[in-house]
Amino acid sequence: MAKNEDTRNPAQAEGNTAAFAVQGEPASSRAPEAATRTAKPLPEDALIILPVRNMVLFPGALVPIAIGRARSIAAAQFAARAQRQIGVLLQRKGEIDEPGPDDLHWVGTAANVLRYVTAPDGEHHVVCQGEERFRILQFLDGYDFPVARVERIEDAPQDSKEIEARALSLKHHAIEILRMLPQEVPQEIINSLQTVESPTRLANIISMLMDAPIEEKQSLLETFDLRTQLDRLLEILSRRAEVLRISQEIDQRTKQSIEEKGREHLLREQLRTIQKELGEGEEGAAELEEIAKAIADAGMPEEVEKQALKELKRLQRMPEASGEYPMVRTYLDWLTELPWKAPDAPAIDIDEARRTLDQDHHGLEKIKKRILEYLAVRKLNPHGKAPILCFAGPPGVGKTSLGQSIARATGREFVRVSLGGVHDEAEIRGHRRTYIGALPGNIIQGMKKAGTRNVVMMLDEVDKLGAGGFHGDPSSALLEVLDPEQNSTFRDNYLAVPYDLSSVLFVCTANVLDTIPGPLRDRMEIIQLPGYTAQEKLQIAQRYLLDRQLSRNGLLPAQCEITSAALTGIIEDYTREAGVRNLEREIGSVCRHVALRIAAGGVEHVTIDAADLPAILGAQKFEAEIAMRTAVPGVATGLAWTPVGGDILFIEAARMPGNGKLIVTGQLGDVMKESVQAALSLVKGREAELGIDAEMFDKSDIHIHVPAGATPKDGPSAGVAMFTALASLFTQRPVRSDVAMTGEISLRGLVLPIGGVKEKVLAALRAGIKTVMLPARNRRDMEDIPAEAREKLEFVWLEHVDDALKVALSARTETPG
């Protein structure tokens, strides 16, 4: 039961209430003789007012009140002596000692004074029992204590079924709350509450007993409608029951957690004791000491060492049987095994590096020059940033092996990371440690494998990275790795600490650049490897490929000899590629043939010449069919660029009776179809100059076809070849069989520049072409063309399409037939 008194010291008054409960006597026997006398009688409808702090009295409630103010003592003494009721009113503000009418709520409870007691310590107490509500009508003057005329509020009727239903629910909620209270409630209280039948009395008792703000209780007292009062009580008790229910659940979980932790602690202590008896604890301590020593010797940056020591402390407090123990141990192993110390600057010998590069690779002068430049800068500035190189070219030209040569020439370790088909960002940045089986990404794994930061790391097939999906975009993750301004603080998701990659020499490889995202391509220095000439392939075969295949097939140089003519035959008749991968395969087939003959017995030395190749490798796979394909008018030889190097392209034009329709086949793209239209328009515009009858265009259908129809083709560089083929068709003058051409055309007849000049020229050389016609504005690319190609080929530089006709159609003239 809540007790709030009208004293200046509420805490002391509460103690005195307990004392009064023992010493209390009937009010009539204890009323002091010195009670204040009223000067005039009280009206019948007047009540003696007793202001109280922090307490609301409800009808039917029996409450002791401690009083201390002089006017309150006088009011209580007069009421006890005259056996008059008092009206208990709540102050609006408890800090006011002498409240006036405006400082009081005007609705209160009329109560009978059952006892008045003066305790031995001088405190005054009065026991009151609430009877009924009242409302102040007017305060009266002329008395030593507050007096007011009041209107008594009668209880509303209680016979409604809705009232009974609400009262029953209210009783249920009240009993439920009493049973959920943390402190044990005597069963007698619950039983007495169950015996209450009157809804009004039940509402008043619960309003008095419940723990609620004093203003909320006053509001309930001022609610005269019983149904409304019951609804508000139900709302308050429902909210209170939910709070107690949640509190019980929290207490239960807390208690259970404490019990589990206590049990775990006890088991851990027992486990430590058992391990100590078995001698296992000493071994674990020794391992932790080794980890601490490894952290101290690793040379980690301050931030990384701080993180490592933090994890080590966690590991020391953790039992070995814990599921997290191996995860933390693995993490510390990764931190301690990574190379953190700055690498020592190796002695750089430029001449030795040049000899190493020449020994491993033939040609590739531009790349060798770039590597030597890097070494020279490194020698002058040992702390400079390493470049990010990207070797782009067709398969088999030596991009991957070139990375190994760079490592040898620079005195670094070599690590290769294959990126082909990688579609998960975690393959680059690693997984977060929250995942089971998490590991660092391939970059950090490569650094651990190398054991030093002075490393050449080859990111192979960077153009074949998988597209970004819900696993993240790996190409975006590479942006930080391949940026010299950012990779000094590369952060792997598994390590979660920065790692310095600025001293790593990154070398990327790619077949095509179109599939590499622009921001990633912008971070790399692109070096093109277009392909090899036949003479370069011969040198590579003699110096590298032949010895390697002899060794792989168990042959000695004294047992097998392949002549230069045989190697040249393999290059020209059995392979047609930019690189040397298929060339090495064919040489391997020849070596296996020799190994079979020697292993069968009877011979100790075998010499392979060009005449022996058909018996070993079969019929020629490629032949120079230029003359046959251009024996009729309307066929021209063009040059094309492909991802695997340059290639020749035949443009075939045919004319049949019709009405001027143009047919284009060969799976040509939109750009190439537009080149056909432009070429036909140029031919029509020069009908007089070429001696073509204008009616031929109206009475003929023209069919343009580019063989190898299963291969998609596109691009503007076939414009010159298209024009030449059409001009040859309508003039019935065949195109020279030893001429190939490339270049974009405009409607004015100008020849515009194109790309891939070196690849196209090498393709022409491989195909047996003697004369190559190129746009004059591509003359600047002449220096990229190998010396062998410049010596063997005749170059014609085209300013206008008429220049092409003068060379291409000048070989011979035939009569139309």
Side-chain angles (χ1 to χ4, degrees):
M1 180 178 295
K3 299 181 287 293
N4 299 283
E5 299 80 19
D6 176 43
T7 63
R8 292 186 178 88
N9 190 342
Q12 184 180 6
E14 283 190 359
N16 293 339
T17 301
F20 160 74
V22 178
Q23 303 177 10
E25 296 181 8
S28 59
S29 63
R30 294 300 304 270
E33 296 180 0
T36 304
R37 304 293 180 177
T38 179
K40 56 183 179 180
L42 296 176
E44 289 298 327
D45 60 346
L47 272 181
I48 301 170
I49 302 303
L50 180 65
V52 294
R53 298 184 179 98
N54 303 323
M55 188 202 79
V56 176
L57 179 65
F58 283 85
L62 181 64
V63 179
I65 302 175
I67 54 179
R69 290 181 287 207
R71 287 166 59 86
S72 297
I73 293 173
Q77 289 176 350
F78 181 83
R81 184 187 48 151
Q83 297 185 356
R84 293 289 299 263
Q85 287 184 336
I86 61 174
V88 181
L89 286 181
L90 175 66
Q91 290 184 204
R92 295 185 183 275
K93 295 182 180 180
E95 63 272 13
I96 299 176
D97 288 336
E98 296 296 335
D102 294 336
D103 300 323
L104 301 173
H105 288 279
W106 281 36
V107 175
T109 301
N112 293 325
V113 179
L114 302 183
R115 293 184 182 180
Y116 183 92
V117 177
T118 302
D121 59 358
E123 290 292 332
H124 299 269
H125 303 271
V126 61
V127 180
C128 299
Q129 184 172 21
E131 290 296 328
E132 58 184 345
R133 291 176 173 83
F134 69 87
R135 182 190 291 114
I136 297 291
L137 298 178
Q138 178 185 7
F139 279 94
L140 303 178
D141 297 330
Y143 300 94
D144 297 334
F145 41 78
V147 177
R149 294 179 61 250
V150 301
E151 174 190 2
R152 297 176 184 268
I153 309 299
E154 297 181 358
D155 293 334
Q158 309 177 22
D159 55 354
S160 170
K161 292 182 179 180
E162 294 184 359
I163 297 295
E164 291 179 5
R166 285 171 169 77
L168 185 62
S169 178
L170 181 64
K171 184 186 297 185
H172 172 74
H173 279 77
I175 293 174
E176 181 185 10
I177 289 175
L178 289 175
R179 287 174 176 165
M180 285 193 299
L181 289 174
Q183 64 273 19
E184 186 176 355
V185 177
Q187 185 62 33
E188 291 78 5
I189 296 179
I190 297 177
N191 293 337
S192 62
L193 193 61
Q194 288 176 335
T195 59
V196 177
E197 298 294 339
S198 170
T200 300
R201 186 162 177 262
L202 179 66
N204 291 333
I205 292 174
I206 294 176
S207 298
M208 187 70 191
L209 293 177
M210 71 177 183
D211 183 15
I214 195 65
E215 292 296 333
E216 193 167 13
K217 286 190 174 186
Q218 178 64 32
S219 177
L220 286 170
L221 183 66
E222 296 176 0
T223 303
F224 302 144
D225 181 65
L226 179 58
R227 177 175 174 178
T228 303
Q229 183 181 5
L230 290 174
D231 287 341
R232 293 186 61 186
L233 282 173
L234 282 172
E235 180 182 353
I236 295 172
L237 292 189
S238 298
R239 186 170 63 249
R240 180 62 176 165
E242 185 64 25
V243 171
L244 287 174
R245 194 175 296 111
I246 295 174
S247 178
Q248 277 187 339
E249 293 177 0
I250 295 174
D251 292 343
Q252 184 67 24
R253 287 199 298 266
T254 304
K255 181 180 179 182
Q256 183 179 357
S257 176
I258 292 174
E259 290 176 354
E260 290 177 356
K261 289 181 179 179
R263 179 174 177 272
E264 184 179 354
H265 177 72
L266 177 61
L267 292 175
R268 285 179 179 177
E269 291 298 327
Q270 292 176 349
L271 180 62
R272 288 194 184 98
T273 304
I274 295 172
Q275 289 176 342
K276 185 175 182 181
E277 292 296 328
L278 295 176
E280 296 179 357
E282 297 178 359
E283 181 180 351
E287 290 182 357
L288 294 177
E289 290 180 3
E290 290 179 3
I291 295 175
K293 185 176 184 300
I295 292 174
D297 297 341
M300 302 176 181
E302 182 179 354
E303 178 183 353
V304 180
E305 185 173 1
K306 183 179 178 181
Q307 175 68 14
L309 294 175
K310 178 182 176 181
E311 294 294 330
L312 179 60
K313 289 181 180 179
R314 288 185 59 209
L315 192 67
Q316 291 170 341
R317 296 192 300 266
M318 196 178 297
E320 293 185 10
S322 172
E324 196 176 357
Y325 187 92
M327 297 174 61
V328 178
R329 175 62 189 272
T330 303
Y331 176 72
L332 289 174
D333 287 343
W334 273 101
L335 284 182
T336 53
E337 293 175 8
L338 279 174
W340 294 98
K341 296 179 180 178
D344 297 330
I348 296 176
D349 188 338
I350 302 296
D351 294 333
E352 180 63 26
R354 181 182 286 108
R355 281 192 295 270
T356 300
L357 292 173
D358 290 339
Q359 181 181 354
D360 291 346
H361 286 82
H362 178 75
L364 305 178
E365 298 301 329
K366 183 182 291 187
I367 296 176
K368 293 177 182 178
K369 177 183 177 184
R370 180 64 184 88
I371 298 303
L372 294 176
E373 289 173 350
Y374 162 71
L375 291 176
V377 173
R378 193 73 172 178
K379 185 174 183 179
L380 300 177
N381 181 17
H383 303 291
K385 292 182 172 63
I388 311 295
L389 304 179
C390 179
F391 299 152
V397 295
K399 298 185 295 297
T400 303
S401 61
L402 191 59
Q404 298 172 339
S405 298
I406 293 173
R408 287 184 55 205
T410 56
R412 291 169 171 250
E413 295 292 327
F414 177 78
V415 175
R416 176 179 171 272
V417 177
S418 178
L419 299 179
V422 171
H423 64 278
D424 191 348
E425 178 194 2
E427 296 290 335
I428 307 298
R429 289 186 179 275
H431 301 81
R432 301 189 185 279
R433 284 195 291 151
T434 52
Y435 298 106
I436 296 176
L439 286 174
N442 289 331
I443 303 299
I444 295 298
Q445 290 186 36
M447 297 304 298
K448 177 185 176 183
K449 179 180 178 182
T452 176
R453 287 165 52 191
N454 195 27
V455 62
V456 173
M457 182 171 290
M458 171 159 283
L459 304 179
D460 213 4
E461 310 293 354
V462 71
D463 59 324
K464 298 176 181 61
L465 281 171
F470 67 92
H471 290 293
D473 187 1
S475 63
S476 298
L478 279 177
L479 294 178
E480 181 183 6
V481 176
L482 299 182
D483 191 338
E485 302 299 328
Q486 300 181 32
N487 61 13
S488 59
T489 56
F490 172 69
R491 187 176 291 268
D492 186 274
N493 289 332
Y494 180 83
L495 298 183
V497 292
Y499 190 83
D500 188 1
L501 297 174
S502 60
S503 59
V504 177
L505 176 54
F506 286 102
V507 177
C508 304
T509 68
N511 295 130
V512 293
L513 299 176
D514 297 341
T515 57
I516 303 177
L520 183 59
R521 188 167 62 245
D522 183 63
R523 283 165 166 77
M524 301 184 293
E525 181 180 344
I526 307 297
I527 299 178
Q528 296 284 351
L529 282 77
Y532 300 109
T533 64
Q535 186 61 34
E536 288 175 333
K537 290 181 180 180
L538 178 61
Q539 294 293 328
I540 293 171
Q542 291 175 334
R543 295 172 57 179
Y544 309 105
L545 305 184
L546 183 56
D547 291 342
R548 189 157 60 196
Q549 287 300 318
L550 289 175
S551 176
R552 289 180 180 178
N553 291 280
L555 296 173
L556 298 175
Q559 294 176 312
C560 177
E561 178 186 357
I562 302 179
T563 64
S564 298
L567 291 175
T568 302
I570 294 175
I571 294 170
E572 294 179 351
D573 300 333
Y574 292 91
T575 64
R576 185 158 294 173
E577 57 179 344
V580 293
R581 191 165 288 160
N582 287 327
L583 174 60
E584 185 173 7
R585 291 193 186 101
E586 300 298 339
I587 293 175
S589 298
V590 174
C591 291
R592 288 192 297 273
H593 172 78
V594 173
L596 178 61
R597 292 182 59 184
I598 293 178
V603 292
E604 296 181 355
H605 177 80
V606 178
T607 299
I608 303 297
D609 202 358
D612 302 320
L613 294 179
I616 301 173
L617 301 178
Q620 295 181 3
K621 297 180 181 179
F622 302 96
E623 59 182 5
E625 51 181 352
I626 304 302
M628 180 184 68
R629 296 295 295 271
T630 57
V632 296
V635 179
T637 304
L639 296 174
W641 178 93
T642 69
V644 295
D647 200 359
I648 62 172
L649 194 70
F650 293 103
I651 310 297
E652 298 178 347
R655 180 171 60 88
M656 67 285 296
N659 54 4
K661 183 179 178 182
L662 177 64
I663 304 171
V664 180
T665 58
Q667 203 169 345
L668 307 186
D670 292 338
V671 176
M672 207 165 184
K673 291 179 180 178
E674 292 173 358
S675 296
V676 175
Q677 295 281 0
L680 182 58
S681 297
L682 279 175
V683 173
K684 289 181 178 180
R686 283 165 173 73
E687 57 185 19
E689 301 172 16
L690 297 175
I692 302 173
D693 185 2
E695 294 183 357
M696 294 176 62
F697 296 105
D698 298 329
K699 297 180 180 181
S700 304
D701 287 343
I702 303 170
H703 187 173
I704 300 291
H705 178 67
V706 181
T711 304
K713 311 168 191 69
D714 203 1
S717 62
V720 172
M722 297 281 187
F723 172 79
T724 304
L726 288 171
S728 170
L729 174 67
F730 283 99
T731 60
Q732 290 296 300
R733 298 166 61 188
V735 180
R736 287 173 50 188
S737 61
D738 60 347
V739 173
M741 61 205 74
T742 182
E744 180 181 357
I745 60 175
S746 71
L747 288 177
R748 294 177 294 166
L750 299 177
V751 180
L752 306 179
I754 43 85
V757 171
K758 182 178 180 182
E759 291 89 343
K760 294 176 179 180
V761 170
L762 293 180
L765 183 64
R766 289 194 299 268
I769 298 294
K770 302 301 181 182
T771 303
V772 176
M773 296 192 295
L774 298 172
R777 291 166 64 180
N778 280 110
R779 197 185 295 268
R780 62 180 181 274
D781 297 315
M782 191 68 176
E783 62 180 21
D784 293 333
I785 299 174
E788 178 189 355
R790 293 199 299 265
E791 294 172 359
K792 292 185 176 182
L793 294 174
E794 177 188 357
F795 293 92
V796 177
W797 303 101
L798 306 177
E799 292 281 357
H800 199 274
V801 291
D802 295 336
D803 300 335
L805 297 182
K806 292 176 183 178
V807 176
L809 303 182
S810 64
R812 61 177 180 170
T813 303
E814 297 185 0
T815 304

